[in-house]
Every structure is written in structure tokens, then in C-alpha cells.
Amino acid sequence: MRSKKWMVLIFYTYLFLSVGYLTYSTYSRGDKLWIVWGISSIGLGYQVVRFLIDKKKDGWNTSYVVADHRILGKIKLSLAISYVFIIIFLITGAYGIQQGFFIFEAFDTIVAGIIFSLLVFMISQVVQQFIN
């Protein structure tokens, strides 16, 4: 997949600004999660600056290879595996909540399902690198 360099820069800048806004809004509400959003915002700001430094010599209208079909296939397979995992995890949690089996709160179950599905996605990406 090819896209123009200025489009990639706009996407990175949008992510940086939106996560920065989330940082500010969670800080103004008094939540403790603003630290995580702040670290993510700093990382995205670094990504924007690094992209600007790396691509300043090239023309902004030239094509930039974002991903080819092999990489997209691997990502799709990993997302499918992680999707199946999160569905199984959340169905099991919902059944447990419905039956009155409250070991964890509902919000904790959702957060754990999201975290574990991200871990499964990352592990499946690593495993696919060794297989292919």
C-alpha cells in the first residue's frame, strides 16, 4: 500500500494532537490515567519529529510504502486471532456475570479482555515472523 508522505505526516500529527487532547482532558478531570496518555502523546510527538527529519530531503508528493500485501496479510491474520480471543474472553465474562459469578467487576473484565487481546495480537505477530 502506498500513500503520499504528506498524508502520513497528517495522520501522525492527528494522532499526536488527539492523544494530547485526551491527556489534557483526563488531567483536568483529576484522573490518574493522564500519565499513560501523556507518555503516549510524547511517543507520538517523537514519531512526528522523526518522520519530519527523515523525510525532509525527499519531496512531499512522492509515494511512501506503508505496507505491502504480505505485511497486510500477516496483520489481518493476527487481528483475526486476537478478535476470536477477545470474543471468547468477553462471552465467558458475560456468562459469568449473568450467572452471578462475580470475581471481577464488569469494567475490569472488559479492560482485561482488551489487554489480553493486544498481547495475543503481539504474540501472533512475533510467531508469524518466525514461521514465514
Side-chain angles (χ1 to χ4, degrees):
M1 184 167 96
R2 295 183 172 270
S3 60
K4 302 292 182 186
K5 292 178 185 168
W6 60 270
M7 293 170 58
V8 175
L9 179 65
I10 288 174
F11 178 71
Y12 285 156
T13 307
Y14 170 75
L15 285 177
F16 169 66
L17 292 176
S18 61
V19 172
Y21 176 74
L22 283 172
T23 304
Y24 174 72
S25 64
T26 54
Y27 178 74
S28 64
R29 282 188 310 201
D31 291 342
K32 301 289 185 205
L33 197 63
W34 71 270
I35 297 170
V36 175
W37 287 115
I39 292 170
S40 301
S41 178
I42 290 169
L44 287 168
Y46 172 75
Q47 182 74 19
V48 168
V49 171
R50 190 176 63 102
F51 187 81
L52 282 172
I53 291 171
D54 289 346
K55 305 300 175 197
K56 73 177 181 177
K57 295 178 184 174
D58 301 334
W60 285 106
N61 219 13
T62 58
S63 292
Y64 180 69
V65 176
V66 177
D68 61 354
H69 294 291
R70 293 171 295 181
I71 294 173
L72 287 176
K74 290 179 183 179
I75 291 173
K76 287 178 191 176
L77 182 62
S78 296
L79 284 174
I81 292 169
S82 119
Y83 178 75
V84 168
F85 181 79
I86 194 169
I87 291 298
I88 290 170
F89 190 88
L90 292 179
I91 287 174
T92 305
Y95 180 74
I97 290 172
Q98 180 186 12
Q99 297 300 322
F101 185 64
F102 293 110
I103 291 178
F104 303 110
E105 294 292 325
F107 181 74
D108 294 339
T109 306
I110 292 170
V111 170
I114 292 169
I115 290 171
F116 286 134
S117 69
L118 288 173
L119 287 174
V120 166
F121 175 75
M122 290 186 288
I123 290 170
S124 64
Q125 285 284 311
V126 170
V127 168
Q128 285 184 26
Q129 292 297 323
F130 289 120
I131 290 174
N132 295 329

